[in-house]
Amino acid sequence: MTSKKLVNTVAGCADDALAGLVACNPSLQLLHGHRVALRSDLDSLKGRVALLSGGGSGHEPAHAGFIGKGMLTGVIAGAVFTSPAVGSILAAIRAVAQAGTVGTLLIVKNYTGDRLNFGLAREQARAEGIPVEMVVIGDDSAFTVLKKAGRRGLCGTVLIHKVAGALAEAGLGLEEITKRVSAVAQAMGTLGVSLSSCSIPGSRPTFELAPDEVELGLGIHGEAGVRRIKMASAGEIVTLMLDHMTASSNVSRVPVQAGSSVVLMVNNLGGLSFLELGVIADAAVRALEGRGVKIARALVGTFMSALEMPGISLTLLLVDEPLLKLIDAETTASAWPNVAKVPVTGRKRSRAAPAEPLEAPVSTTAGGLTSKRVVLVLERVCATLLGLEDHLNALDRAAGDGDCGTTHSRAARAIQGWLKEGPPPASPTQLLSKLSLLLLEKMGGSSGALYGLFLTAAAQPLKAKTDLPAWSAAMDAGLEAMHNYGKAAPGDRTMLDSLWAAGQELQAWKSPGANLFQVLTKAVQSAEAAAEATKNMAAGAGRASYISSARLDQPDPGAVAAAAVLRAILEALQSPGV
C-alpha cells in the first residue's frame, strides 16, 4: 500500500513544490521551461561569481530555500530523489552567465547521478567559453571502510553553500572560492539516524524497521544505513553517533577532539517533532561539551530533509575565526536561521529564580492542623490518584488527549516528594498555598492551573479562622475562582460539576452545630453522583466541548478525579487515630 501524500499528481509534485516556493518569495524566479529557481536580482551580480547547486527534490528546504544574497544564486531541481536534467543545469549556467557573472561554481552532493549530470553540463558550458568549476561535497561519516563511490553528500553541503556565498558576496574570484570551499569541505562530517523510512510519492516505504530498531548512518534518499541499533534514549543515541563520527578507526571520521571548535548542525530529516529535535539538540551540546569540544555556533532546524523521514542528522564543522566570519555573514536566504553570532559554549544558560516573598504571619486566632493528620490525608489522596491513573487515562481518551490520569499521578508524586522534605505547614492557609504552588509547577495542564486557582483562592478565608463556616467559605472561594478563570459552569461536564455539588452540601457547615462528618459524607456522595451524571451531559467547556456528544458515553475524568479526592479526604479523616 502506497503512503498518502498531499500532492496534485505524483509526476508533477516536484514542479508544483518549486512553483509554490517561488510564488511566495518575490526574490525568486523560475527559469521558463526548466525546473530551475534563480535570484530575481541576477543583474545585480554582474562581475561576481555565481553559485549553483541542486539535486533531487524531497530535501526541502534544500536547495531552493538557500537561494539569496550571501548564499546561492540558483538551484536546479530534479524529480523526487532524482538528479536534475543536464539540459536544465546547462540552462541555469547560461542564464547566470548572460546576467554578467564572471564564472559559475557548481556545488554538488556526492551522488553518482549528480556528479554525472552536473559534470556533463559543466563540460558543455566550458565548451561554450563559460568559466565553470565544480566542487563535490562528501561529508558522510557513516562508512568505516571507504567505498569507491566515496562519502555521500549530506546536510553539511548547506554549510558549503553558506561559506561559498559569503566569499562570492565579498567579491572573490572563481578559482579562489573553489579552493577555499574545497578545503572547508574536508573539515566536516555528518551522520544520520532514523526511527523509520520515508516514502516517495506513489510508493511504499523504502525499508522496514522493527519497533525496537533504529537505522544508523543512512543517507537522504530513503536508503538503509550502515547498521541497525536497538532503540535507546536520545542521549544514548547521540553519544553513539558522536562516537561513530569521531572514532579513529573510521576512515570517514571528522577529526573532532578535545579543544576543537565546531559549528554544530542538528538537522531534522523531515518527520521528527520539534520537541524531539530540542531533546536531541540538548543531548548533542551536553555530549560535545563533555568531551571538551567548544561549540562556536549551533544551528537547529530542518535544513536538508528526506521527505517525511522521522530522524535527525548531526553535522560537525571544524572552524576558526576567519571561517566563523563567513558563517556569520549576512544572507537573505529564507531557510537560513537567525543564528546568534556568539559561541554556544561558555554562555550562562540559566539565572537564579526570584526569591519567594516572605510569608505573612498567620493570625494566632486561626487554629492549626496536626502534622500527622495532614500527612495521612495527603498520603491517602496521593495513593487514590495513583491507583486511578489508567482508569482516568482511559476515560480521557474518549474526549481529550488521554493524559488525565497521568496528569493527576504527576501531582500525586510531586506531593509525595514534598512530604519527604519535611513536615507540612500546620496553618491551613499556608498548607493550601504551598499545595497550590506545587501543583502549578509540577502537575501541568489545565488541571494543574485549575487546582492551583482553587487552592489559592480557598486559602484566603482561612487566614483569620479555621472553623467549619470558614472551610465552607474556602470552598466557595475556590469554586468562584475556577468559574471566573476557567469559564466552566455546573452542567458543562467538567471537574467543576463534582466540586460544585460538594460545595452545595458544605453550605450546611455555616449553620450552628453542624456536624463535620455528616455534612462531609453528604458532600462526597453528592460529588460522586455528579461525576457519574456527567456521562449524560453535553460538554460545554474544555477539550470535550469539541467532540460530538454522541461519543461521550463515559463520565468526565476530571469530575471522577475530583470526587475521588474528596472521598479520600473523608476516609482519611475518619481513620482511627486521626
Side-chain angles (χ1 to χ4, degrees):
M1 179 179 177
T2 59
S3 60
K4 293 185 288 186
K5 292 284 192 294
L6 287 173
V7 298
N8 296 314
T9 65
V10 171
C13 64
D15 295 283
D16 293 345
L18 192 61
L21 179 65
V22 172
C24 297
N25 192 334
S27 64
L28 302 182
Q29 290 180 330
L30 290 172
L31 189 61
H32 184 71
H34 299 278
R35 199 182 289 127
V36 173
L38 298 166
R39 286 176 58 174
S40 55
D41 62 345
L42 277 186
D43 293 339
S44 68
L45 299 179
K46 188 174 182 179
R48 296 176 185 263
V49 172
L51 305 174
L52 296 177
S53 188
S57 297
H59 303 306
E60 292 73 20
H63 302 81
F66 300 109
I67 299 175
K69 182 179 179 180
M71 286 193 80
L72 297 176
T73 308
V75 303
I76 309 94
V80 175
F81 295 169
T82 303
S83 301
V86 174
S88 291
I89 300 170
L90 184 58
I93 296 172
R94 289 170 176 162
V96 297
Q98 290 171 9
T101 58
V102 295
T104 299
L105 176 62
L106 303 178
I107 302 173
V108 181
K109 298 188 303 300
N110 187 28
Y111 284 95
T112 302
D114 288 350
R115 288 199 317 271
L116 291 173
N117 290 358
F118 276 91
L120 182 53
R122 175 199 180 203
E123 294 301 321
Q124 291 180 351
R126 294 179 75 172
E128 297 174 9
I130 303 174
V132 182
E133 295 293 344
M134 185 169 90
V135 291
V136 178
I137 309 302
D139 56 313
D140 186 9
S141 292
F143 297 101
T144 56
V145 177
L146 201 58
K147 298 190 176 183
K148 184 176 182 179
R151 300 166 69 184
R152 296 172 293 190
L154 303 176
C155 188
T157 308
V158 175
L159 292 176
I160 300 301
H161 294 161
K162 184 67 182 65
V163 171
L167 293 171
E169 191 65 30
L172 273 68
L174 178 58
E175 289 186 8
E176 181 65 17
I177 295 175
T178 303
K179 176 183 175 181
R180 292 181 64 174
V181 299
S182 296
V184 172
Q186 300 304 310
M188 68 178 178
T190 298
L191 187 67
V193 67
S194 185
L195 307 179
S196 65
S197 179
C198 61
S199 57
I200 297 173
S203 302
R204 301 182 64 176
T206 52
F207 62 84
E208 298 289 340
L209 283 173
D212 64 341
E213 287 182 330
V214 175
E215 195 78 11
L216 177 72
L218 72 176
I220 52 173
H221 299 109
E223 70 269 40
V226 294
R227 65 189 174 103
R228 292 181 178 178
I229 59 176
K230 290 297 182 182
M231 187 67 193
S233 70
E236 291 169 333
I237 288 176
V238 165
T239 297
L240 190 151
M241 293 175 72
L242 294 176
D243 287 344
H244 187 94
M245 294 173 71
T246 61
S248 58
S249 59
N250 182 357
V251 296
S252 63
R253 71 184 180 277
V254 55
V256 171
Q257 55 190 359
S260 296
S261 180
V262 302
V263 168
L264 165 68
M265 290 186 78
V266 182
N267 173 56
N268 188 347
L269 286 172
L272 205 69
S273 68
F274 283 98
L275 183 145
E276 293 164 284
L277 197 62
V279 173
I280 292 290
D282 178 64
V285 169
R286 290 176 183 274
L288 286 169
E289 291 181 341
R291 298 169 187 230
V293 176
K294 177 184 177 183
I295 303 173
R297 303 288 186 270
L299 291 73
V300 182
T302 305
F303 303 99
M304 186 172 288
S305 64
L307 291 171
E308 81 284 18
M309 184 178 286
I312 56 102
S313 66
L314 299 179
T315 299
L316 299 176
L317 169 65
L318 288 160
V319 291
D320 54 17
E321 285 304 317
L323 183 51
L324 274 179
K325 288 182 179 179
L326 300 176
I327 296 292
D328 290 341
E330 296 298 323
T331 179
T332 61
S334 61
W336 184 259
N338 183 21
V339 182
K341 298 178 175 65
V342 293
V344 170
T345 300
R347 182 176 62 87
K348 189 176 181 180
R349 295 184 182 132
S350 64
R351 66 170 62 230
E356 294 185 12
L358 296 175
E359 294 180 349
V362 180
S363 170
T364 55
T365 61
L369 301 172
T370 65
S371 177
K372 180 181 178 181
R373 172 179 286 193
V374 171
V375 170
L376 287 174
V377 169
L378 292 178
E379 286 179 343
R380 178 68 69 92
V381 169
C382 291
T384 297
L385 292 178
L386 291 172
L388 284 173
E389 180 174 1
D390 291 342
H391 177 58
L392 294 177
N393 281 342
L395 292 177
D396 194 33
R397 277 191 285 272
D401 51 9
D403 70 345
C404 182
T406 303
T407 301
H408 282 78
S409 291
R410 192 158 55 236
R413 292 187 180 93
I415 293 173
Q416 288 176 331
W418 177 60
L419 291 176
K420 292 178 181 178
E421 295 174 2
S427 159
T429 294
Q430 292 180 355
L431 174 65
L432 297 188
S433 296
K434 289 288 187 181
L435 287 172
S436 170
L437 293 173
L438 187 67
L439 296 187
L440 286 171
E441 181 180 355
K442 301 294 186 181
M443 186 175 185
S446 57
S447 295
L450 288 169
Y451 277 118
L453 279 168
F454 177 86
L455 293 169
T456 298
Q460 306 315 306
L462 298 171
K463 286 183 176 180
K465 294 182 179 180
T466 58
D467 54 11
L468 290 181
W471 280 100
S472 179
M475 186 72 169
D476 293 341
L479 290 171
E480 182 179 2
M482 291 181 75
H483 171 68
N484 288 341
Y485 292 99
K487 299 304 180 184
D492 280 344
R493 198 182 189 277
T494 69
M495 70 168 76
L496 188 66
D497 287 296
S498 294
L499 294 174
W500 184 84
Q504 294 302 106
E505 295 293 342
L506 295 183
Q507 296 295 317
W509 275 348
K510 296 177 182 177
S511 301
N515 182 276
L516 166 65
F517 289 112
Q518 287 180 356
V519 173
L520 185 56
T521 299
K522 288 184 178 180
V524 171
Q525 292 170 345
S526 294
E528 291 171 338
E532 182 65 19
T534 58
K535 68 180 182 180
N536 299 316
M537 296 179 184
R543 283 197 184 98
S545 61
Y546 301 107
I547 308 297
S548 169
S549 296
R551 294 178 57 189
L552 303 177
D553 55 359
Q554 296 293 326
D556 176 72
V560 171
V565 168
L566 293 173
R567 168 64 67 181
I569 292 172
L570 172 62
E571 292 176 350
L573 291 175
Q574 290 177 327
S575 298
V578 176

